[in-house]
Coordinates of all heavy atoms in Angstrom, one line a residue:
E182 N -5.8 5.9 18.8 CA -5.5 5.8 20.2 C -4.4 4.7 20.5 O -3.5 4.9 21.3 CB -6.7 5.5 21.0 CG -7.7 6.6 21.1 CD -9.0 6.3 21.8 OE1 -9.3 5.1 21.9 OE2 -9.7 7.2 22.3
Q183 N -4.4 3.6 19.7 CA -3.4 2.6 19.8 C -2.0 3.2 19.4 O -1.0 2.9 20.1 CB -3.8 1.4 18.9 CG -2.7 0.3 19.0 CD -3.0 -0.8 17.9 OE1 -3.8 -0.7 17.1 NE2 -2.2 -1.8 18.0
Y184 N -2.0 3.9 18.3 CA -0.8 4.5 17.9 C -0.2 5.5 18.9 O 1.0 5.5 19.2 CB -1.0 5.2 16.5 CG 0.2 5.9 15.9 CD1 1.0 5.2 15.0 CD2 0.5 7.2 16.2 CE1 2.1 5.8 14.5 CE2 1.6 7.8 15.7 CZ 2.4 7.1 14.8 OH 3.5 7.7 14.3
L185 N -1.1 6.4 19.4 CA -0.7 7.4 20.4 C -0.3 6.8 21.7 O 0.5 7.4 22.4 CB -1.8 8.4 20.6 CG -2.1 9.4 19.4 CD1 -3.3 10.2 19.7 CD2 -0.9 10.3 19.2
A186 N -0.7 5.6 22.0 CA -0.2 4.9 23.2 C 1.2 4.6 23.1 O 2.0 4.6 24.1 CB -1.0 3.7 23.5
Q187 N 1.7 4.4 21.9 CA 3.1 4.1 21.6 C 3.9 5.4 21.3 O 5.1 5.5 21.6 CB 3.2 3.1 20.5 CG 4.6 2.5 20.3 CD 4.5 1.2 19.4 OE1 3.5 0.5 19.4 NE2 5.6 1.0 18.7
Y188 N 3.2 6.3 20.6 CA 3.9 7.6 20.2 C 3.1 8.8 20.6 O 2.4 9.4 19.8 CB 4.1 7.6 18.7 CG 4.9 6.4 18.1 CD1 4.2 5.4 17.4 CD2 6.3 6.3 18.4 CE1 4.9 4.3 17.0 CE2 7.0 5.2 17.9 CZ 6.3 4.2 17.2 OH 7.0 3.1 16.7
P189 N 3.0 9.0 21.9 CA 2.1 10.0 22.5 C 2.3 11.5 22.0 O 1.5 12.3 22.1 CB 2.3 9.9 24.0 CG 3.6 9.3 24.2 CD 3.8 8.4 23.0
N190 N 3.5 11.7 21.5 CA 3.8 13.1 21.1 C 3.7 13.4 19.6 O 4.1 14.5 19.2 CB 5.3 13.4 21.5 CG 5.5 13.4 23.0 OD1 4.6 13.8 23.8 ND2 6.6 12.8 23.5
D191 N 3.1 12.5 18.9 CA 2.9 12.7 17.4 C 1.7 13.7 17.2 O 0.6 13.3 17.4 CB 2.6 11.4 16.8 CG 2.6 11.5 15.2 OD1 1.9 12.4 14.7 OD2 3.4 10.7 14.6
Q192 N 2.0 14.9 16.9 CA 1.0 15.9 16.8 C 0.1 15.7 15.6 O -1.1 16.1 15.7 CB 1.7 17.3 16.6 CG 2.5 17.7 17.8 CD 3.2 19.1 17.7 OE1 3.1 19.7 16.6 NE2 3.8 19.5 18.8
D193 N 0.5 15.1 14.5 CA -0.4 14.9 13.4 C -1.5 13.9 13.8 O -2.7 14.1 13.5 CB 0.4 14.3 12.2 CG 1.4 15.2 11.6 OD1 1.1 16.5 11.7 OD2 2.4 14.8 11.0
I194 N -1.1 12.8 14.5 CA -2.2 11.8 14.9 C -3.0 12.4 16.0 O -4.2 12.1 16.1 CB -1.5 10.5 15.3 CG1 -0.7 10.0 14.1 CG2 -2.5 9.5 15.7 CD1 -1.5 9.7 12.8
Q195 N -2.4 13.2 16.9 CA -3.2 13.9 17.9 C -4.3 14.7 17.3 O -5.5 14.7 17.7 CB -2.3 14.8 18.8 CG -1.4 14.0 19.7 CD -0.5 15.0 20.5 OE1 -0.4 16.2 20.1 NE2 0.3 14.5 21.4
Q196 N -4.0 15.4 16.2 CA -4.9 16.3 15.5 C -6.0 15.4 14.9 O -7.2 15.8 14.9 CB -4.2 17.1 14.5 CG -5.1 18.2 13.8 CD -5.8 19.1 14.8 OE1 -5.0 19.8 15.6 NE2 -7.1 19.2 14.9
L197 N -5.7 14.3 14.2 CA -6.7 13.5 13.6 C -7.6 13.0 14.7 O -8.9 12.9 14.4 CB -6.0 12.3 12.9 CG -5.3 12.5 11.6 CD1 -4.7 11.2 11.1 CD2 -6.3 13.0 10.6
L198 N -7.1 12.6 15.8 CA -8.0 12.1 16.9 C -8.9 13.2 17.4 O -10.1 13.0 17.7 CB -7.2 11.5 18.0 CG -7.9 10.9 19.2 CD1 -8.8 9.7 18.7 CD2 -7.0 10.4 20.3
A199 N -8.3 14.4 17.5 CA -9.1 15.5 18.0 C -10.2 15.9 17.0 O -11.4 16.2 17.4 CB -8.2 16.7 18.2
D200 N -10.0 15.8 15.7 CA -11.0 16.0 14.7 C -12.1 15.1 14.8 O -13.3 15.4 14.7 CB -10.4 15.9 13.3 CG -9.4 17.1 13.0 OD1 -9.5 18.1 13.7 OD2 -8.6 17.0 12.1
I201 N -11.8 13.8 15.1 CA -12.9 12.8 15.2 C -13.7 13.1 16.5 O -14.9 13.0 16.5 CB -12.3 11.4 15.3 CG1 -11.7 11.0 13.9 CG2 -13.3 10.3 15.7 CD1 -11.0 9.7 13.9
K202 N -13.0 13.4 17.6 CA -13.8 13.6 18.8 C -14.6 14.9 18.8 O -15.7 14.9 19.3 CB -12.8 13.7 20.0 CG -12.1 12.3 20.3 CD -11.1 12.5 21.5 CE -10.6 11.2 21.9 NZ -9.6 11.3 23.1
N203 N -14.1 15.9 18.2 CA -14.8 17.2 18.2 C -15.7 17.4 17.1 O -16.6 18.3 17.2 CB -13.7 18.3 18.2 CG -12.8 18.3 19.4 OD1 -13.2 17.8 20.5 ND2 -11.6 18.7 19.3
Q204 N -15.6 16.6 16.0 CA -16.4 16.8 14.8 C -16.6 18.3 14.5 O -17.7 18.8 14.5 CB -17.8 16.2 15.1 CG -17.8 14.7 15.2 CD -17.4 14.0 14.0 OE1 -17.8 14.3 12.9 NE2 -16.5 13.0 14.1
P205 N -15.5 19.0 14.1 CA -15.6 20.4 13.9 C -16.4 20.8 12.7 O -16.5 20.0 11.7 CB -14.1 20.8 13.6 CG -13.5 19.5 13.1 CD -14.2 18.4 13.9
A206 N -17.0 21.9 12.8 CA -17.8 22.4 11.6 C -16.9 22.7 10.5 O -15.8 23.2 10.7 CB -18.6 23.6 12.0

Side-chain angles (χ1 to χ4, degrees):
E182 289 173 339
Q183 179 189 7
Y184 180 92
L185 287 172
Q187 192 165 329
Y188 304 107
N190 297 321
D191 190 306
Q192 295 182 355
D193 293 333
I194 301 302
Q195 287 176 352
Q196 186 59 55
L197 283 177
L198 183 60
D200 289 345
I201 291 176
K202 289 180 175 179
N203 298 330
Q204 294 295 313

